[in-house]
Amino acid sequence: MKILVTGTSGQLALSLAERAKGKANIVLVGRPDLDLEDLATFAPVLKSVAPDMVINAAAHTGVDQQEDEPQRAFRINAEAPAELARLTRLAGIPIIQVSTDYVFDGKAAQPYSETDMPNPQTVYGRSKLAGEEAVRAGNPDHLVVRTAWVVSRHGRNFVKTMLRLSATRDRLQVVADQFGNPTEARDLADGLLAAAASWRKQGGFPQGLYHLAGQGRANWFELATHVFTVSASLGGPSALAEPVGSEQWPAKAARPANSQLSSDAFARDFSYRAGEWRERVAGLVTELVGSANR
C-alpha cells in the first residue's frame, strides 16, 4: 500500500516513515514539490506518486503566530485540506486528515469525545476545524483524527525543549493548570497505520472522526518533572520544575485548560491504543539523552 504523506520534516511524517517499514510504502512530499500555500502543486504530485491513500500530516502549527496571520493559517490548515480532499475524491482514494484538541474550548471537566461540540478559541483551532469540515465535505472516503500534545525525537516539542533548557538552567517555571494527554508521535503513526490497514481490509472507515492520544492525564508541570527525573537518572540534564498558573505565562493565543481526548472509539474500531504517557516519555528521554551522550 502506497501512502503519500504531506511534509518531510514534521514529527508525524518522520514517525510514519519510521513505523511503516514492512507495512506500507510511505512517500513523504513537502516543499517545494508540494507546498501547502500553493494549491497548484497538489495535482502534479498526486499524479506522479499515484498513491493508494493520502495522509495530511502537515500544518501551520505556530499557535501564537497565527493570531497575527489568520489568512495564512486558513490557507494552510483549511484551504489546502479542501483541495487535497477534492483531488483525492476525483482520484478515488481516501484521505486521512490529522487535527487537534484546539478545536475545543478546554472548559469540559472530562475528556472530550467525538460527539462533543467543538468551540475553538484561537485562529489555529478555527482553521483546523475548518480543515476538518472541508475534508468531510470534499471526500466521503475520509478519516479525521484529532490528537494532542505530540512529542518525539524529531522536530521541536515540549520534551526536547525541557531537556535543552535544563542544560543551562537550574529552575524552570512550568504551567500546572493545563491538562492533556502526552502522545508519542510513533504511537500516533502506529494508530494511523492501523486505520489504513483496516480501510484496506474493510474497504472503508467505520466512521469519519476519531480521537487518538496517549493514555493518562498530565499537566505541563507533571510532564516536565517526569522528563527531568528520567533524564537525571541517566546522567542527563535536569532542573527543578516550579508549578505556576497560566496567568503567569500570558500568550497571544489562549491554551485550552483541558485538552484531554477520549480514544475509546478508536480502540473499539481499530483495536489500537496509544501507550501510557509516562512509559512513552521515559523511553523518549532515554533515547534523547543516550544520543546526546554518544
Side-chain angles (χ1 to χ4, degrees):
M1 184 178 192
K2 184 189 290 187
I3 303 176
L4 188 158
V5 177
T6 61
T8 56
S9 60
Q11 296 186 81
L12 178 55
L14 292 172
S15 295
L16 279 164
E18 175 185 343
R19 302 298 285 181
K21 294 174 182 177
K23 301 176 184 176
N25 175 19
I26 297 291
V27 181
L28 303 182
V29 185
R31 293 175 175 171
D33 299 310
L34 190 150
D35 185 345
L36 294 186
E37 295 189 77
D38 184 359
L39 306 188
T41 63
F42 295 3
V45 167
L46 279 172
K47 182 177 180 180
S48 173
V49 175
D52 300 303
M53 177 180 288
V54 169
I55 298 179
N56 184 25
H60 184 347
T61 57
V63 177
D64 290 324
Q65 181 184 354
Q66 290 181 42
E67 295 297 308
D68 294 325
E69 47 184 43
Q71 289 184 327
R72 183 166 182 254
F74 274 83
R75 179 75 167 175
I76 295 173
N77 293 341
E79 294 175 25
E83 179 65 0
L84 283 172
R86 185 185 73 85
L87 292 172
T88 51
R89 177 181 58 78
L90 292 175
I93 60 176
I95 181 171
I96 296 179
Q97 170 72 8
V98 180
S99 194
T100 174
D101 55 301
Y102 273 73
V103 301
F104 297 112
D105 59 22
K107 297 177 181 178
Q110 68 285 331
Y112 286 98
S113 72
E114 293 82 354
T115 58
D116 287 319
M117 187 66 65
N119 185 27
Q121 302 296 297
T122 63
V123 170
Y124 174 59
R126 290 191 290 272
S127 67
K128 290 295 287 183
L129 181 59
E132 292 184 10
E133 294 168 346
V135 168
R136 292 191 194 102
N139 186 343
D141 197 1
H142 71 266
L143 184 67
V144 173
V145 179
R146 296 172 181 150
T147 192
W149 291 32
V150 178
V151 298
S152 74
R153 59 193 180 93
H154 304 296
R156 293 182 296 177
N157 59 72
F158 184 83
V159 170
K160 293 178 72 174
T161 297
M162 290 299 100
L163 289 174
R164 175 176 56 81
L165 293 177
S166 65
T168 57
R169 301 186 194 179
D170 294 329
R171 295 172 179 267
L172 289 169
Q173 292 185 328
V174 186
V175 171
D177 57 0
Q178 296 171 11
F179 293 85
N181 310 107
T183 308
E184 226 281 13
R186 284 172 289 197
D187 279 353
L188 178 57
D190 285 345
L192 296 184
L193 291 169
S198 175
W199 175 89
R200 189 173 192 180
K201 182 178 180 180
Q202 304 296 334
F205 299 114
Q207 62 186 49
L209 173 64
Y210 291 91
H211 293 169
L212 177 58
Q215 295 184 57
R217 183 183 92 149
N219 60 44
W220 295 114
F221 166 74
E222 291 170 331
L223 177 54
T225 298
H226 189 53
V227 169
F228 297 149
T229 300
V230 175
S231 181
S233 73
L234 299 168
S238 183
L240 176 64
E242 299 177 340
V244 298
S246 298
E247 71 280 356
Q248 293 181 248
W249 283 98
K252 281 190 175 181
R255 269 56 174 178
N258 174 30
S259 278
Q260 296 176 81
L261 300 177
S262 170
S263 301
D264 290 345
F266 197 98
R268 177 197 68 214
D269 289 347
F270 300 116
S271 301
Y272 178 84
R273 279 193 186 275
E276 195 276 330
W277 77 264
R278 289 183 178 274
E279 176 186 333
R280 289 297 194 261
V281 169
L284 174 58
V285 172
T286 300
E287 283 185 68
L288 292 170
V289 171
S291 63
N293 289 337
R294 285 198 293 268

